[in-house]
Amino acid sequence: MSLLAPAPRPEHAPFLDTLRGALGERDRIRTRPIDIHANAHDASHFLLLPEAVAIAEDAAEVGALFAAAARAGRPVTLRSGGTSLSGQALTDGVLIDVRRNFKKIEVLDGGDRVRVQPGVTVRALNAHLARFGKKFGPDPASEAACTIGGVVANNSSGMSCGTTENSYRTLESLTVVLASGTVIDTGAADAEERLRALEPELYRGLLTLAERVRSNPASVQTIRRQFAMKNTMGYGINSLLDYTRAVDILAHLIIGSEGTLGFVAEAVFRTVDRPSHASTGLLIFDSLEAANSALPDLVDTGAATLELLDALSLRIGQRAEDAPAEIRGLNVDRHAALLVEYQSGSAEHLADLQAAGDALMPRLGLSREAAFSSDAGTRADLWHLRKGLYTTVAGARPQGTTALLEDVVVPVERLAATCNGLIDLFDRYEYENSVIFGHAKDGNVHFMLTDGFIEADQVARYAAFTEDLVDLILGEGGSLKAEHGTGRVMAPFVRRQYGDELYDVMREIKRLCDPAGLLNPGVILDEDPEAHLRHIKAAMPVDEEVDRCVECGYCEPVCPSRDITLTPRQRIVTLRAIEQAKRDGDHALVKSLEKDYVYDGVRTCAVDGMCQTACPVSINTGSLVKKLRREENNAVEKAVWNTAAKHWGAVTVGAGMALNVVDKIPMPIISGPNKLARAVLGKDTVPLYSAELPAGGVSRSRPAPTAPADVVYMPACVNTMFGPAADGSGRVSPGVQLSFEQLCESVGLVLLVPESINSLCCGTPWSSKGQVDGQHAMRERTVAALREASRDGELTIVCDASSCTEGILHAIEESNASSERSLRVVDAVDFVAERVLPLLPEHNKMERLVLHPTCSSTRMGGNDALNTVAKAVAKDVVVPENWGCCAFAGDRGMLHPELTASATAREAAEVAEIDASAYASCNRTCELGMTRATGEEYNHVLELLAQLTRSE
């Protein structure tokens, strides 16, 4: 199978010029093959290659793009998050990115309402609302990555919102751009009159359809039955019964319309109360029937969530190291489980709910005794069992296969029979490891198939399975889609679910809103009975590091290069496109993709690993990029870095001395030669000097302590290269090393700095550049020195830069294979939070501190300790909601400052609005990156703590 992006043909030029004219800027219409292939993918198992990718800035530009595409007869698709599982966000026409520039949030009425744009993720929105004790109604499991645009487009729900707190029910109004370019704010006082004046046919047509449906008892009965459940199949024609004004009907038809009726530029929602207390338990039953029978009584106790796990789900969950005690040792046969959670805004009410649940337990006939827990760790393990199923099955699928995640809904009383029917279908069609899990309270379950879906026999098997699936779900009175949207996967079956009359109503809705049929054609309605079997993508194997990628896009919100070049998902899918082009013999495409990938894919990756923290299958795309850098390293570069490893003390001192020299030279004198050197020798070789860089640091060495040491201290070499910044009072800080030493001395802790410290490093500079030989040499030397200094692990080892702490941990992991005893390494921030803070005397605090966590502190789980120390510094600690990896990444921010500028732009804008006493982080290069971005001096948080305690 071949899906290759063709080069733009001459006849395309006028159309592309029209698109560029609509935006007024050429660089926001992307037609390079790498842009086409990188943006073509979403989380579904379909693939279409767009003709062009457009990056719109506002609703007016989307309207202009609609008009330009209409004049050329080109289809248009809108995409925000791309987490959609049913093929909603794909096109072979114009793909409009409405994520990047649509991120405004306005909290209204003290949090009771919120106005939000489509590019905002659910997690970001909830972070905004948390301070008001509120949250967004829909609660999809993909909340870290899915956007409000996608939630609106799919009428997404989730774990607990059911049919009462989804997008449809919580919507107050929206601003929609219609296919004609007309913009309607349905919340405006004159919205009804404006719709009637500007779109008279649409206005009359909607009212006529509403009357048609209301006057047909069979239609009314079908709609009421279908939408009593979760249901995202077809259009939301319940709006024809629920509303009388045309503008309100339109607004609620837009919900769940998957970009086929218009573009939602912003929406206003009523929020719901945020539960601050929760208690969770896992109930094990002998069978699906027994679990299903318990549902009504559990619902009556006020359970917020009831998540079903079938027998295979339990077997898979048992394989995990953190498997909950409830399933350890269980001899799973036909068992099933319900993950039950109670939620409340008060501890007292939660206790009442839990008591009701406890009282019910003896009457449920459980296989094992169950108990509810409010402990965060216990609850996390239970939810990991539920949410980890997708990770486990999708991540372990055979190389080159695709994971297809589906969802269906039936009346709750038919859930057990439906699950048994699904299991029979899996057996009949030999789909192995097809787990069933989902929202039992709603009769909504998910299941996963893994296969190639490419070869003729695979497609035939999938086609036959789908036909039987449709018969099963409709035969049980259910809906073929509950919350993932109709998309392409179920578009051919909408008529079968609703019948000819209501299907015709839906076709008329589409015609009224999009007469030319150019908005996302093939989605929701498709007359082709085999449409769901077309455009299925191949998951080309490229590297073991990333082959398990399911292209969901969870990684994208945390990627520092997401707004300038590629995201982790896009790096992976571009490599898959290169491999496909190689197999197809398209040498021109291979050459084009590989050429652009050097900068877009490799050089502008911060290799920060934040993608792994968000990835459901735990892929660190940075590891792949390091491997690619290793492959492109030449002999000269290897020799230079190997030599640096042997003489690291001289290198760090030399770097510091160089900064001392240039610190005394006016910036204009430095700038010209520096830029010339970058132009001649390469931007990936010569760093760009900038004004915020400090003078050099000082030697790390210290005399041996006269008393027995309590701790081995390894100050980071980055502090030798880069000297300290000014502290909160404007004076030059003594630096983190001296500050940490003073803090420890004040509580009687004796530090031992290894004698050879100036030649030691964690190895991260070599690792990030793919210089394996130098990395191994440096790590071996450093681990040996730390093992000797710590008396083979008797003493804890502390490092004062989070990225270096993480680097030492990796170095020790590599060495432990040949050692009987491990070394304990902690970051200085964690150490101070645990060992120093409890012993410090009372001291004054500054008013407000802006805190920047780092990618390393996040990956190591150190942000709680970072916040603890920060709260000892300031009365009010503010972590910007838009914080993320600064992408300084050692020297990456000096080699490619445009990367750091892009990565920090939103956080910097937020920081500019905060009146703070000081600014802090926990890693020197991150402090430099944030200083450059904000114009404010960032210090290590321990420097500020030491300053405050010294002043007492």
Side-chain angles (χ1 to χ4, degrees), residues 403-425:
L404 188 161
L405 185 64
E406 271 295 3
D407 81 310
V408 294
V409 62
V410 295
V412 174
E413 64 273 14
R414 302 305 304 161
L415 183 60
T418 301
C419 290
N420 286 327
L422 285 172
I423 293 170
D424 290 342
L425 289 181

Side-chain angles (χ1 to χ4, degrees), residues 36-50 77-91 95 154 258 390 402-403 484 487-489 520 523 535-538 549-554 556 569-570 573 576:
I36 296 301
H37 283 276
N39 288 280
H41 296 249
D42 68 0
S44 75
H45 57 286
F46 297 99
L47 178 61
L48 290 169
L49 294 172
T77 293
L78 304 150
R79 180 189 291 170
S80 49
T83 59
S84 298
L85 291 159
S86 299
Q88 296 95 318
L90 306 170
T91 183
L95 183 68
N154 293 337
E258 302 175 28
Y390 180 78
T402 297
H484 292 174
R488 300 175 185 278
V489 73
N520 218 3
V523 171
H535 309 300
I536 296 178
K537 67 187 173 189
C549 173
V550 294
E551 302 180 13
C552 63
Y554 281 35
E556 294 186 334
R569 166 168 65 178
Q570 292 172 337
V573 301
R576 288 175 173 172

